[in-house]
Amino acid sequence: SQELEQSPQSLIVQEGKNLTINCTSSKTLYGLYWYKQKYGEGLIFLMMLQKGGEEKSHEKITAKLDEKKQQSSLHITASQPSHAGIYLCGADDQGGSEKLVFGKGTKLTVNP
Amino acid sequence: EPEVTQTPSHQVTQMGQEVILRCVPISNHLYFYWYRQILGQKVEFLVSFYNNEISEKSEIFDDQFSVERPDGSNFTLKIRSTKLEDSAMYFCASRGIRNQPQHFGDGTRLSIL
């Protein structure tokens, strides 16, 4: 089945700095989802990417899916303390399965 | 904005006891899911449910687990005889149609003593 690797595992940045989180798949991605999780809480849906080369933005967060559909990146511009949390990429598993498989997550800390 | 709600937020149970975790999915959604996350590990799929039956389940979802949609709004996960290794955060998710994102609840933290 699908395996997702996220990098970095953790990231500490100063408020106002830009940052990028990567998600790499072992297989072609048919649906890639970014979620944010605060410690001990649920997963908040951020964005969904399905087409090679697709890019979506919401407020200061931009997500891209590469042309080969095996890598996605999440970019945050001018980070704020409210961006802190764990960012998870998830993907539709292969063969028409409904389940999502997830990466281990990237823990983001934004220092004021 | 509509959301998935889960109760209780935290459940503490003795090993061997039965637990029922409850979820109210988003009202017009058709697909329902349970996932779990053991502390420090990835979020793992347990089961998917559509049209009043299980559509897919993982190898984790053995005979000790069952799901039910007893009425038009609730979706439950039952663990018949809990084990220490069942301690985890359990997430319910729902989605409207395929190719739409899954929306997750805040989870139930299950602690088995």
Side-chain angles (χ1 to χ4, degrees):
Chain A
S1 65
Q2 190 81 267
E3 291 276 339
L4 297 176
E5 292 291 328
Q6 284 187 241
S7 62
Q9 287 187 339
S10 66
L11 196 51
I12 302 173
V13 300
Q14 267 320 107
E15 182 176 358
K17 295 295 186 185
N18 303 337
L19 62 106
T20 300
I21 298 168
N22 294 300
C23 176
T24 302
S25 169
S26 57
K27 300 180 182 178
T28 300
L29 293 161
Y30 292 98
L32 188 285
Y33 307 84
W34 283 100
Y35 290 87
K36 179 183 175 184
Q37 183 181 28
K38 290 195 173 179
Y39 181 76
E41 297 182 13
L43 282 65
I44 300 167
F45 169 71
L46 296 174
M47 274 173 276
M48 174 175 76
L49 302 165
Q50 293 182 303
K51 299 175 186 173
E54 188 174 7
E55 180 175 320
K56 287 187 177 177
S57 294
H58 177 68
E59 297 180 342
K60 294 184 179 179
I61 301 177
T62 300
K64 299 178 186 178
L65 182 61
D66 74 343
E67 289 289 345
K68 292 184 178 178
K69 293 173 64 175
Q70 284 195 281
Q71 187 166 19
S72 178
S73 60
L74 187 83
H75 184 78
I76 299 177
T77 303
S79 58
Q80 300 168 348
S82 61
H83 288 127
I86 299 170
Y87 289 83
L88 299 172
C89 63
D92 291 322
D93 202 10
Q94 301 295 297
S97 167
E98 291 185 42
K99 71 179 185 185
L100 292 181
V101 292
F102 286 91
K104 283 188 174 179
T106 295
K107 183 179 177 183
L108 173 64
T109 303
V110 181
N111 290 326
Chain B
E1 186 175 327
E3 57 183 27
V4 176
T5 57
Q6 290 186 243
T7 55
S9 56
H10 192 189
Q11 174 84 43
V12 181
T13 304
Q14 290 288 333
M15 186 172 60
Q17 296 296 305
E18 174 184 286
V19 293
I20 297 176
L21 309 183
R22 302 182 190 279
C23 170
V24 178
I26 294 173
S27 64
N28 61 348
H29 282 187
L30 301 175
Y31 296 83
F32 313 111
Y33 309 87
W34 285 100
Y35 291 80
R36 79 173 186 188
Q37 186 178 32
I38 294 171
L39 190 63
Q41 298 187 22
K42 292 183 182 182
V43 176
E44 303 174 285
F45 169 79
L46 292 178
V47 66
S48 59
F49 192 87
Y50 171 71
N51 202 26
N52 286 318
E53 59 182 25
I54 290 173
S55 47
E56 188 174 353
K57 59 183 180 179
S58 71
E59 58 191 28
I60 303 168
F61 194 88
D62 63 22
D63 292 344
Q64 294 299 314
F65 290 86
S66 62
V67 289
E68 196 176 39
R69 188 156 161 81
D71 52 43
S73 58
N74 291 285
F75 180 50
T76 62
L77 174 70
K78 181 192 290 186
I79 309 174
R80 193 180 5 239
S81 178
T82 50
K83 304 173 191 147
L84 293 176
E85 54 264 36
D86 292 328
S87 295
M89 189 75 138
Y90 288 80
F91 294 107
C92 173
S94 69
R95 68 174 156 189
I97 59 174
R98 297 197 73 167
N99 297 323
Q100 282 186 346
Q102 295 182 24
H103 292 270
F104 286 74
D106 281 344
T108 293
R109 181 170 299 283
L110 179 62
S111 300
I112 307 299
L113 305 178

